[in-house]
Amino acid sequence: MPIYIYRGGPGRSPQNPLIRFLVSLAILAGVVALGIFLLPVIGVMALIVLGIVAVVVIGGMIYRWLYGDPWQQAREEQNGVEINPSFRRSESRQEAKSMPSRLRTRFRRDEKIEDAVVVEETKKSPSDQSH
């Protein structure tokens, strides 16, 4: 003869504690089985994430090996450091080849530049500013 436990409240039917225990065990077993069956899927997802991290790290190492430290390059550009300080011009402007005569007539540099007028700036004394 089954044992029923009556719980209070309207609309609640009597419940058998043995059936409730077996149902709880079945649900717990289902959750554990689902976790066990999903372990390979979770493992594959973890391997994919680790593979992506490894590709980014190895790619960054190769980039630094080929092109140098990008943070150092940015600091040099910000500070105005020359990229290639050993580079010098091979010939100065005076030693450059002269322009051919046919081009010299086309591009003339014979303009006269007038001297600029020098204007002196005077400072006002505090007594002049009172007006």
Side-chain angles (χ1 to χ4, degrees):
M1 177 168 153
I3 301 171
Y4 289 101
I5 296 177
Y6 290 92
R7 301 224 179 230
R12 304 217 67 184
S13 60
Q15 298 177 351
N16 189 338
L18 185 60
I19 300 292
R20 286 188 69 205
F21 179 70
L22 291 175
V23 168
S24 298
L25 278 180
I27 291 173
L28 185 62
V31 169
V32 169
L34 186 64
I36 290 172
F37 289 134
L38 287 180
L39 274 178
V41 175
I42 294 169
V44 167
M45 289 171 39
L47 284 177
I48 289 172
V49 169
L50 286 175
I52 291 172
V53 168
V55 165
V56 168
V57 167
I58 292 172
M61 289 171 47
I62 292 173
Y63 181 85
R64 277 181 169 233
W65 181 53
L66 291 177
Y67 301 109
D69 185 11
W71 297 109
Q72 183 66 28
Q73 291 173 1
R75 272 188 243 110
E76 287 177 356
E77 288 177 11
Q78 189 177 16
N79 294 336
V81 175
E82 285 186 49
I83 300 300
N84 190 359
S86 64
F87 175 76
R88 300 282 181 247
R89 287 191 175 175
S90 59
E91 53 186 32
S92 66
R93 290 186 179 265
Q94 291 81 15
E95 297 171 0
K97 292 181 182 178
S98 64
M99 196 180 296
S101 62
R102 62 183 174 85
L103 290 178
R104 197 176 305 131
T105 57
R106 192 180 288 173
F107 301 105
R108 281 192 212 159
R109 293 280 182 176
D110 296 338
E111 296 115 9
K112 302 261 180 177
I113 299 174
E114 297 179 12
D115 290 334
V117 177
V118 177
V119 177
E120 292 183 18
E121 182 178 340
T122 58
K123 293 184 179 181
K124 292 184 178 182
S125 64
S127 62
D128 294 339
Q129 293 179 355
S130 62
H131 294 351

Coordinates of all heavy atoms in Angstrom, one line a residue, residues 2-88:
P2 N 0.7 2.1 -1.0 CA 1.5 3.3 -1.1 C 1.3 4.3 0.1 O 0.2 4.4 0.6 CB 1.2 3.9 -2.4 CG -0.1 3.4 -2.8 CD -0.3 2.1 -2.0
I3 N 2.3 5.0 0.4 CA 2.2 6.1 1.4 C 2.1 7.4 0.7 O 2.9 7.8 -0.1 CB 3.4 6.1 2.3 CG1 3.6 4.7 3.0 CG2 3.4 7.2 3.4 CD1 4.9 4.6 3.7
Y4 N 1.1 8.2 1.1 CA 0.8 9.5 0.5 C 1.0 10.6 1.6 O 0.6 10.4 2.7 CB -0.6 9.6 -0.1 CG -0.7 8.8 -1.4 CD1 -1.4 7.6 -1.3 CD2 -0.2 9.3 -2.6 CE1 -1.5 6.8 -2.5 CE2 -0.4 8.5 -3.7 CZ -1.0 7.3 -3.7 OH -1.1 6.5 -4.8
I5 N 1.6 11.7 1.2 CA 1.8 12.8 2.1 C 0.9 13.9 1.5 O 1.0 14.3 0.3 CB 3.3 13.3 2.1 CG1 4.1 12.1 2.8 CG2 3.4 14.5 3.0 CD1 5.6 12.4 2.8
Y6 N 0.1 14.5 2.4 CA -0.8 15.6 2.0 C -0.1 16.9 2.3 O 0.3 17.1 3.4 CB -2.1 15.5 2.7 CG -2.9 14.3 2.2 CD1 -2.9 13.1 2.9 CD2 -3.8 14.4 1.1 CE1 -3.6 12.0 2.4 CE2 -4.5 13.4 0.7 CZ -4.4 12.1 1.3 OH -5.2 11.1 0.9
R7 N 0.1 17.7 1.3 CA 0.7 19.0 1.5 C -0.5 20.0 1.6 O -1.5 19.9 0.9 CB 1.6 19.4 0.4 CG 2.7 18.4 0.2 CD 4.0 19.1 0.0 NE 5.1 18.0 -0.1 CZ 6.2 18.1 0.6 NH1 6.4 19.1 1.4 NH2 7.0 17.1 0.5
G8 N -0.3 21.0 2.4 CA -1.4 22.0 2.5 C -1.5 22.9 1.3 O -0.7 23.0 0.5
G9 N -2.7 23.5 1.3 CA -2.9 24.5 0.2 C -4.0 24.0 -0.7 O -4.1 22.7 -0.9
P10 N -4.7 24.9 -1.3 CA -5.8 24.5 -2.3 C -5.2 24.0 -3.6 O -4.1 24.5 -4.1 CB -6.6 25.7 -2.5 CG -5.6 26.9 -2.2 CD -4.7 26.3 -1.1
G11 N -5.8 23.0 -4.2 CA -5.4 22.4 -5.5 C -4.2 21.5 -5.4 O -3.6 21.2 -6.5
R12 N -3.7 21.2 -4.3 CA -2.5 20.3 -4.2 C -3.0 18.9 -3.9 O -3.8 18.6 -3.0 CB -1.6 20.7 -3.1 CG -1.2 22.2 -3.3 CD 0.1 22.6 -2.9 NE 1.2 22.0 -3.7 CZ 2.4 22.2 -3.5 NH1 2.8 22.9 -2.4 NH2 3.4 21.7 -4.2
S13 N -2.5 18.0 -4.8 CA -2.9 16.6 -4.6 C -1.9 15.9 -3.7 O -0.8 16.3 -3.5 CB -3.0 15.9 -6.0 OG -1.7 16.0 -6.6
P14 N -2.3 14.7 -3.1 CA -1.4 13.9 -2.3 C -0.2 13.4 -3.1 O -0.3 13.1 -4.3 CB -2.2 12.8 -1.8 CG -3.5 12.8 -2.5 CD -3.6 14.1 -3.2
Q15 N 1.0 13.4 -2.6 CA 2.2 13.0 -3.3 C 2.9 11.8 -2.5 O 2.9 11.8 -1.3 CB 3.2 14.2 -3.3 CG 2.6 15.3 -4.1 CD 3.6 16.5 -4.1 OE1 4.6 16.5 -3.4 NE2 3.3 17.5 -4.9
N16 N 3.4 10.9 -3.3 CA 4.1 9.7 -2.8 C 5.5 10.1 -2.7 O 6.2 10.5 -3.7 CB 3.9 8.5 -3.7 CG 4.4 7.3 -3.1 OD1 5.2 7.3 -2.2 ND2 3.9 6.1 -3.6
P17 N 6.2 10.0 -1.5 CA 7.6 10.4 -1.3 C 8.5 9.5 -2.1 O 9.6 10.0 -2.6 CB 7.8 10.4 0.2 CG 6.7 9.6 0.7 CD 5.6 9.7 -0.2
L18 N 8.2 8.3 -2.3 CA 9.1 7.4 -3.0 C 9.1 7.8 -4.5 O 10.2 7.8 -5.1 CB 8.6 5.9 -2.9 CG 9.5 4.8 -3.5 CD1 10.9 4.9 -2.9 CD2 8.9 3.5 -3.3
I19 N 8.0 8.1 -5.1 CA 7.9 8.5 -6.5 C 8.7 9.9 -6.6 O 9.4 10.0 -7.6 CB 6.5 8.7 -6.9 CG1 5.7 7.3 -6.8 CG2 6.4 9.2 -8.4 CD1 6.2 6.3 -7.8
R20 N 8.5 10.8 -5.7 CA 9.2 12.1 -5.8 C 10.7 11.8 -5.7 O 11.5 12.5 -6.5 CB 8.8 13.0 -4.6 CG 7.4 13.5 -4.8 CD 7.1 14.6 -3.8 NE 7.9 15.7 -4.0 CZ 8.2 16.6 -3.1 NH1 7.9 16.4 -1.8 NH2 9.0 17.6 -3.3
F21 N 11.2 10.9 -4.9 CA 12.6 10.6 -4.8 C 13.2 10.0 -6.1 O 14.2 10.4 -6.5 CB 12.9 9.7 -3.6 CG 14.3 9.3 -3.4 CD1 15.2 10.2 -2.9 CD2 14.7 8.0 -3.7 CE1 16.6 9.9 -2.8 CE2 16.1 7.7 -3.5 CZ 17.0 8.6 -3.1
L22 N 12.4 9.1 -6.7 CA 12.8 8.5 -7.9 C 12.9 9.5 -9.1 O 13.8 9.5 -9.9 CB 12.0 7.3 -8.2 CG 12.1 6.1 -7.3 CD1 11.1 5.0 -7.7 CD2 13.5 5.5 -7.4
V23 N 11.9 10.4 -9.1 CA 11.9 11.4 -10.1 C 13.1 12.4 -9.9 O 13.7 12.8 -10.9 CB 10.5 12.2 -10.1 CG1 10.6 13.4 -11.0 CG2 9.4 11.3 -10.6
S24 N 13.4 12.7 -8.7 CA 14.5 13.6 -8.5 C 15.8 12.9 -8.9 O 16.7 13.5 -9.5 CB 14.6 14.0 -7.0 OG 13.5 14.7 -6.6
L25 N 16.0 11.6 -8.6 CA 17.1 10.9 -9.0 C 17.3 10.8 -10.5 O 18.3 10.9 -11.1 CB 17.1 9.4 -8.4 CG 17.6 9.3 -7.0 CD1 17.5 7.8 -6.6 CD2 19.0 9.8 -6.8
A26 N 16.1 10.6 -11.2 CA 16.1 10.6 -12.7 C 16.6 11.9 -13.3 O 17.3 12.0 -14.2 CB 14.8 10.2 -13.2
I27 N 16.1 13.0 -12.7 CA 16.5 14.3 -13.2 C 17.9 14.6 -13.0 O 18.7 15.1 -13.9 CB 15.6 15.4 -12.6 CG1 14.2 15.3 -13.1 CG2 16.1 16.8 -12.8 CD1 13.2 16.2 -12.4
L28 N 18.4 14.2 -11.8 CA 19.9 14.4 -11.5 C 20.7 13.5 -12.4 O 21.8 14.0 -12.9 CB 20.1 14.0 -10.0 CG 21.5 14.3 -9.5 CD1 21.9 15.7 -9.6 CD2 21.7 13.8 -8.1
A29 N 20.3 12.3 -12.7 CA 21.0 11.4 -13.6 C 21.0 12.0 -15.0 O 22.1 11.9 -15.7 CB 20.5 10.0 -13.6
G30 N 19.9 12.6 -15.4 CA 19.9 13.2 -16.7 C 20.8 14.4 -16.9 O 21.5 14.5 -17.9
V31 N 20.9 15.2 -15.8 CA 21.8 16.4 -15.9 C 23.3 15.9 -15.9 O 24.1 16.4 -16.7 CB 21.5 17.3 -14.6 CG1 22.6 18.3 -14.5 CG2 20.2 17.9 -14.8
V32 N 23.6 14.9 -15.1 CA 25.0 14.3 -15.1 C 25.3 13.7 -16.5 O 26.4 13.9 -17.0 CB 25.2 13.3 -13.9 CG1 26.5 12.6 -14.1 CG2 25.1 14.0 -12.6
A33 N 24.4 13.0 -17.0 CA 24.6 12.3 -18.3 C 24.7 13.4 -19.4 O 25.6 13.3 -20.3 CB 23.4 11.4 -18.7
L34 N 23.9 14.4 -19.3 CA 24.0 15.5 -20.3 C 25.4 16.2 -20.2 O 26.1 16.5 -21.2 CB 22.9 16.5 -20.1 CG 22.8 17.7 -21.1 CD1 22.5 17.1 -22.5 CD2 21.8 18.7 -20.7
G35 N 25.9 16.4 -19.0 CA 27.2 17.0 -18.8 C 28.3 16.1 -19.3 O 29.3 16.5 -20.0
I36 N 28.2 14.8 -19.1 CA 29.2 13.8 -19.6 C 29.2 13.8 -21.1 O 30.2 13.8 -21.8 CB 28.9 12.4 -19.0 CG1 29.3 12.4 -17.5 CG2 29.8 11.4 -19.7 CD1 28.9 11.2 -16.8
F37 N 28.0 13.8 -21.7 CA 27.9 13.7 -23.2 C 28.4 15.0 -23.8 O 28.8 15.0 -25.0 CB 26.5 13.4 -23.6 CG 26.1 12.0 -23.4 CD1 24.8 11.7 -22.8 CD2 26.9 10.9 -23.6 CE1 24.5 10.4 -22.5 CE2 26.6 9.6 -23.4 CZ 25.3 9.3 -22.8
L38 N 28.3 16.2 -23.1 CA 28.7 17.4 -23.7 C 30.2 17.7 -23.4 O 30.7 18.7 -24.0 CB 27.9 18.6 -23.1 CG 26.4 18.7 -23.6 CD1 25.7 19.8 -22.9 CD2 26.4 18.9 -25.1
L39 N 30.8 16.9 -22.7 CA 32.3 17.1 -22.4 C 33.1 17.1 -23.7 O 33.9 18.0 -23.9 CB 32.8 16.0 -21.5 CG 32.7 16.3 -20.0 CD1 33.2 15.1 -19.2 CD2 33.4 17.6 -19.6
P40 N 32.9 16.3 -24.7 CA 33.6 16.4 -26.0 C 33.4 17.7 -26.7 O 34.3 18.3 -27.3 CB 33.2 15.2 -26.8 CG 32.6 14.2 -25.8 CD 32.1 15.0 -24.7
V41 N 32.1 18.1 -26.7 CA 31.8 19.4 -27.3 C 32.5 20.6 -26.6 O 33.0 21.5 -27.3 CB 30.2 19.6 -27.3 CG1 29.9 21.0 -27.9 CG2 29.6 18.5 -28.1
I42 N 32.4 20.6 -25.3 CA 33.1 21.6 -24.5 C 34.6 21.6 -24.8 O 35.3 22.6 -24.9 CB 32.7 21.5 -23.0 CG1 31.2 21.7 -22.8 CG2 33.6 22.4 -22.2 CD1 30.8 21.4 -21.4
G43 N 35.1 20.4 -24.8 CA 36.6 20.2 -25.1 C 37.0 20.7 -26.5 O 38.0 21.4 -26.6
V44 N 36.2 20.5 -27.5 CA 36.5 21.0 -28.8 C 36.4 22.5 -28.8 O 37.2 23.1 -29.4 CB 35.5 20.3 -29.8 CG1 35.5 21.0 -31.2 CG2 35.8 18.9 -30.0
M45 N 35.4 23.0 -28.2 CA 35.3 24.5 -28.1 C 36.5 25.1 -27.4 O 37.0 26.1 -27.8 CB 34.0 24.9 -27.4 CG 32.8 24.6 -28.3 SD 31.2 24.9 -27.4 CE 31.4 26.3 -26.5
A46 N 37.0 24.5 -26.3 CA 38.1 25.0 -25.6 C 39.4 24.9 -26.5 O 40.2 25.8 -26.5 CB 38.3 24.2 -24.3
L47 N 39.5 23.8 -27.3 CA 40.7 23.6 -28.2 C 40.6 24.7 -29.3 O 41.7 25.2 -29.7 CB 40.7 22.2 -28.8 CG 41.2 21.1 -27.9 CD1 41.0 19.7 -28.6 CD2 42.6 21.3 -27.4
I48 N 39.5 25.0 -29.8 CA 39.3 26.0 -30.8 C 39.8 27.4 -30.2 O 40.6 28.1 -30.9 CB 37.9 26.1 -31.4 CG1 37.6 24.9 -32.2 CG2 37.7 27.4 -32.2 CD1 36.2 24.7 -32.7
V49 N 39.3 27.7 -29.0 CA 39.7 29.0 -28.4 C 41.2 29.0 -28.1 O 41.9 30.0 -28.4 CB 38.9 29.2 -27.1 CG1 39.5 30.4 -26.3 CG2 37.5 29.4 -27.4
L50 N 41.8 27.9 -27.6 CA 43.2 27.9 -27.4 C 44.0 28.0 -28.7 O 45.1 28.6 -28.8 CB 43.6 26.6 -26.7 CG 43.2 26.6 -25.2 CD1 43.6 25.2 -24.6 CD2 44.0 27.6 -24.4
G51 N 43.5 27.4 -29.8 CA 44.1 27.5 -31.1 C 44.1 28.9 -31.6 O 45.2 29.4 -32.2
I52 N 43.0 29.6 -31.4 CA 43.0 31.0 -31.9 C 44.0 31.9 -31.1 O 44.7 32.7 -31.6 CB 41.5 31.6 -31.7 CG1 40.6 30.9 -32.8 CG2 41.5 33.1 -31.9 CD1 39.2 31.2 -32.6
V53 N 44.0 31.6 -29.8 CA 45.0 32.4 -28.9 C 46.4 32.1 -29.4 O 47.3 33.0 -29.5 CB 44.8 32.0 -27.4 CG1 45.9 32.6 -26.6 CG2 43.5 32.6 -27.0
A54 N 46.7 30.8 -29.7 CA 48.1 30.4 -30.1 C 48.4 31.1 -31.5 O 49.6 31.6 -31.6 CB 48.2 28.9 -30.2
V55 N 47.5 31.2 -32.4 CA 47.7 31.8 -33.7 C 48.0 33.3 -33.5 O 48.9 33.8 -34.1 CB 46.5 31.6 -34.6 CG1 46.6 32.5 -35.8 CG2 46.5 30.1 -35.1
V56 N 47.2 34.0 -32.6 CA 47.5 35.4 -32.4 C 48.8 35.6 -31.8 O 49.6 36.5 -32.2 CB 46.3 36.0 -31.5 CG1 46.7 37.4 -31.0 CG2 45.0 36.0 -32.3
V57 N 49.2 34.8 -30.8 CA 50.5 35.0 -30.1 C 51.7 34.7 -31.1 O 52.6 35.5 -31.2 CB 50.6 34.0 -28.9 CG1 52.0 34.0 -28.4 CG2 49.7 34.5 -27.8
I58 N 51.6 33.6 -31.9 CA 52.7 33.3 -32.8 C 52.7 34.4 -33.9 O 53.8 34.8 -34.3 CB 52.5 31.9 -33.4 CG1 52.7 30.9 -32.2 CG2 53.4 31.6 -34.5 CD1 52.4 29.5 -32.6
G59 N 51.6 34.8 -34.4 CA 51.6 35.9 -35.4 C 52.2 37.2 -34.9 O 52.9 37.8 -35.6
G60 N 51.9 37.5 -33.6 CA 52.5 38.7 -33.0 C 54.0 38.6 -32.9 O 54.7 39.5 -33.1
M61 N 54.5 37.4 -32.5 CA 55.9 37.2 -32.5 C 56.6 37.3 -33.8 O 57.7 37.9 -34.0 CB 56.2 35.8 -31.8 CG 55.9 35.7 -30.4 SD 56.0 34.1 -29.7 CE 57.5 33.4 -30.3
I62 N 56.0 36.7 -34.9 CA 56.5 36.8 -36.2 C 56.5 38.3 -36.7 O 57.5 38.8 -37.3 CB 55.7 35.9 -37.2 CG1 56.0 34.5 -36.8 CG2 56.1 36.2 -38.6 CD1 55.2 33.5 -37.6
Y63 N 55.4 39.0 -36.4 CA 55.3 40.4 -36.8 C 56.4 41.2 -36.1 O 57.1 42.1 -36.8 CB 54.0 41.0 -36.4 CG 53.8 42.5 -36.7 CD1 53.4 42.8 -38.0 CD2 54.1 43.5 -35.8 CE1 53.2 44.1 -38.4 CE2 53.9 44.8 -36.2 CZ 53.5 45.1 -37.5 OH 53.4 46.4 -37.8
R64 N 56.7 41.0 -34.8 CA 57.8 41.7 -34.1 C 59.1 41.4 -34.7 O 60.0 42.2 -34.8 CB 57.8 41.4 -32.6 CG 56.8 42.2 -31.9 CD 56.9 41.9 -30.4 NE 56.1 42.9 -29.7 CZ 56.6 43.5 -28.6 NH1 57.9 43.3 -28.2 NH2 55.9 44.4 -28.0
W65 N 59.3 40.1 -35.1 CA 60.6 39.7 -35.6 C 60.8 40.3 -37.0 O 61.9 40.8 -37.3 CB 60.5 38.1 -35.8 CG 61.8 37.6 -36.3 CD1 63.1 37.8 -35.9 CD2 61.9 36.7 -37.5 NE1 64.0 37.1 -36.7 CE2 63.3 36.4 -37.7 CE3 61.0 36.1 -38.3 CZ2 63.7 35.5 -38.7 CZ3 61.4 35.3 -39.3 CH2 62.8 35.0 -39.5
L66 N 59.8 40.5 -37.8 CA 59.9 41.1 -39.1 C 60.0 42.6 -39.1 O 60.8 43.2 -39.8 CB 58.8 40.6 -40.0 CG 58.7 39.2 -40.4 CD1 57.5 38.9 -41.3 CD2 60.0 38.8 -41.2
Y67 N 59.1 43.2 -38.3 CA 58.9 44.7 -38.4 C 59.3 45.4 -37.2 O 59.3 46.7 -37.1 CB 57.4 45.0 -38.7 CG 56.9 44.4 -40.0 CD1 56.0 43.4 -40.0 CD2 57.4 44.9 -41.2 CE1 55.6 42.8 -41.1 CE2 56.9 44.3 -42.4 CZ 56.0 43.3 -42.3 OH 55.6 42.7 -43.5
G68 N 59.7 44.8 -36.1 CA 60.2 45.4 -34.9 C 59.0 45.7 -34.0 O 57.8 45.4 -34.3
D69 N 59.3 46.3 -32.9 CA 58.3 46.6 -31.8 C 57.4 47.8 -32.3 O 57.9 48.9 -32.5 CB 59.0 47.0 -30.5 CG 58.0 47.2 -29.4 OD1 56.9 46.8 -29.5 OD2 58.5 47.6 -28.3
P70 N 56.1 47.5 -32.5 CA 55.2 48.6 -32.9 C 55.1 49.7 -31.9 O 54.9 50.9 -32.3 CB 53.9 47.9 -33.2 CG 53.9 46.7 -32.5 CD 55.4 46.3 -32.4
W71 N 55.1 49.4 -30.6 CA 55.0 50.4 -29.6 C 56.3 51.3 -29.6 O 56.2 52.6 -29.5 CB 54.9 49.8 -28.2 CG 53.6 49.0 -28.1 CD1 53.6 47.6 -28.0 CD2 52.3 49.5 -28.0 NE1 52.3 47.2 -27.9 CE2 51.5 48.4 -27.9 CE3 51.7 50.7 -28.1 CZ2 50.1 48.5 -27.9 CZ3 50.4 50.8 -28.0 CH2 49.6 49.7 -27.9
Q72 N 57.4 50.8 -29.8 CA 58.7 51.6 -29.9 C 58.6 52.5 -31.2 O 59.0 53.6 -31.1 CB 59.9 50.7 -30.0 CG 61.2 51.4 -30.0 CD 61.5 52.2 -28.7 OE1 61.0 51.8 -27.7 NE2 62.2 53.3 -28.8
Q73 N 58.1 52.0 -32.3 CA 58.0 52.8 -33.5 C 57.0 53.9 -33.3 O 57.3 55.1 -33.7 CB 57.5 51.9 -34.7 CG 58.6 50.9 -35.1 CD 58.0 50.0 -36.2 OE1 56.8 50.0 -36.6 NE2 58.8 49.0 -36.6
A74 N 55.9 53.7 -32.6 CA 55.0 54.8 -32.3 C 55.6 55.8 -31.4 O 55.4 57.0 -31.6 CB 53.7 54.2 -31.7
R75 N 56.4 55.4 -30.4 CA 57.1 56.4 -29.5 C 58.1 57.2 -30.3 O 58.2 58.4 -30.1 CB 57.7 55.6 -28.4 CG 56.8 55.4 -27.2 CD 57.6 54.9 -26.0 NE 57.0 53.6 -25.7 CZ 57.6 52.4 -25.9 NH1 58.9 52.4 -26.3 NH2 57.0 51.3 -25.6
E76 N 58.8 56.5 -31.2 CA 59.8 57.3 -32.0 C 59.1 58.3 -32.9 O 59.6 59.4 -33.1 CB 60.6 56.3 -32.8 CG 61.6 55.5 -32.0 CD 62.4 54.5 -32.8 OE1 62.1 54.4 -34.1 OE2 63.3 53.8 -32.3
E77 N 58.0 57.9 -33.6 CA 57.3 58.8 -34.4 C 56.7 60.0 -33.6 O 56.8 61.1 -34.1 CB 56.2 58.1 -35.2 CG 56.7 57.2 -36.2 CD 55.6 56.4 -36.9 OE1 54.4 56.8 -36.7 OE2 55.9 55.5 -37.7
Q78 N 56.3 59.7 -32.4 CA 55.7 60.8 -31.6 C 56.8 61.7 -31.1 O 56.6 62.9 -31.0 CB 55.0 60.1 -30.4 CG 54.2 61.1 -29.6 CD 53.4 60.5 -28.5 OE1 53.7 59.3 -28.1 NE2 52.5 61.2 -27.9
N79 N 58.0 61.2 -30.8 CA 59.1 62.1 -30.4 C 59.8 62.7 -31.5 O 60.7 63.5 -31.3 CB 60.0 61.2 -29.5 CG 59.4 60.8 -28.2 OD1 58.5 61.4 -27.7 ND2 59.9 59.7 -27.6
G80 N 59.6 62.3 -32.7 CA 60.2 62.9 -33.9 C 61.6 62.4 -34.1 O 62.4 63.1 -34.7
V81 N 61.9 61.2 -33.7 CA 63.2 60.6 -33.9 C 63.3 60.2 -35.4 O 62.3 59.7 -36.0 CB 63.4 59.3 -33.0 CG1 64.7 58.6 -33.3 CG2 63.3 59.8 -31.6
E82 N 64.5 60.4 -36.0 CA 64.7 60.0 -37.4 C 64.6 58.5 -37.5 O 65.1 57.7 -36.7 CB 66.0 60.5 -37.9 CG 66.1 61.9 -38.2 CD 67.5 62.3 -38.8 OE1 67.9 61.6 -39.7 OE2 68.1 63.2 -38.3
I83 N 63.9 58.0 -38.6 CA 63.8 56.6 -38.8 C 65.1 56.0 -39.2 O 65.5 55.0 -38.8 CB 62.7 56.3 -39.9 CG1 61.3 56.9 -39.4 CG2 62.6 54.9 -40.2 CD1 60.9 56.3 -38.1
N84 N 65.8 56.7 -40.2 CA 67.1 56.2 -40.6 C 68.1 57.3 -40.5 O 68.4 58.1 -41.5 CB 66.9 55.8 -42.1 CG 68.2 55.0 -42.6 OD1 69.1 54.9 -41.9 ND2 68.1 54.6 -43.9
P85 N 68.7 57.5 -39.3 CA 69.7 58.6 -39.1 C 71.0 58.5 -39.9 O 71.7 59.5 -40.1 CB 69.9 58.6 -37.6 CG 69.6 57.2 -37.2 CD 68.6 56.7 -38.1
S86 N 71.3 57.3 -40.4 CA 72.6 57.1 -41.1 C 72.5 57.6 -42.6 O 73.5 57.7 -43.3 CB 73.0 55.6 -41.1 OG 72.0 54.8 -41.7
F87 N 71.2 57.9 -43.0 CA 71.1 58.3 -44.4 C 71.5 59.7 -44.6 O 71.2 60.6 -43.8 CB 69.6 58.2 -44.8 CG 69.3 58.7 -46.2 CD1 69.6 58.0 -47.3 CD2 68.7 60.0 -46.3 CE1 69.4 58.5 -48.6 CE2 68.4 60.5 -47.6 CZ 68.7 59.8 -48.7
R88 N 72.4 60.0 -45.5 CA 72.8 61.4 -45.8 C 72.7 61.6 -47.3 O 72.8 60.6 -48.1 CB 74.3 61.5 -45.5 CG 74.6 61.3 -44.0 CD 74.2 62.5 -43.2 NE 74.5 62.3 -41.8 CZ 73.6 62.2 -40.9 NH1 72.3 62.2 -41.2 NH2 73.9 62.0 -39.6

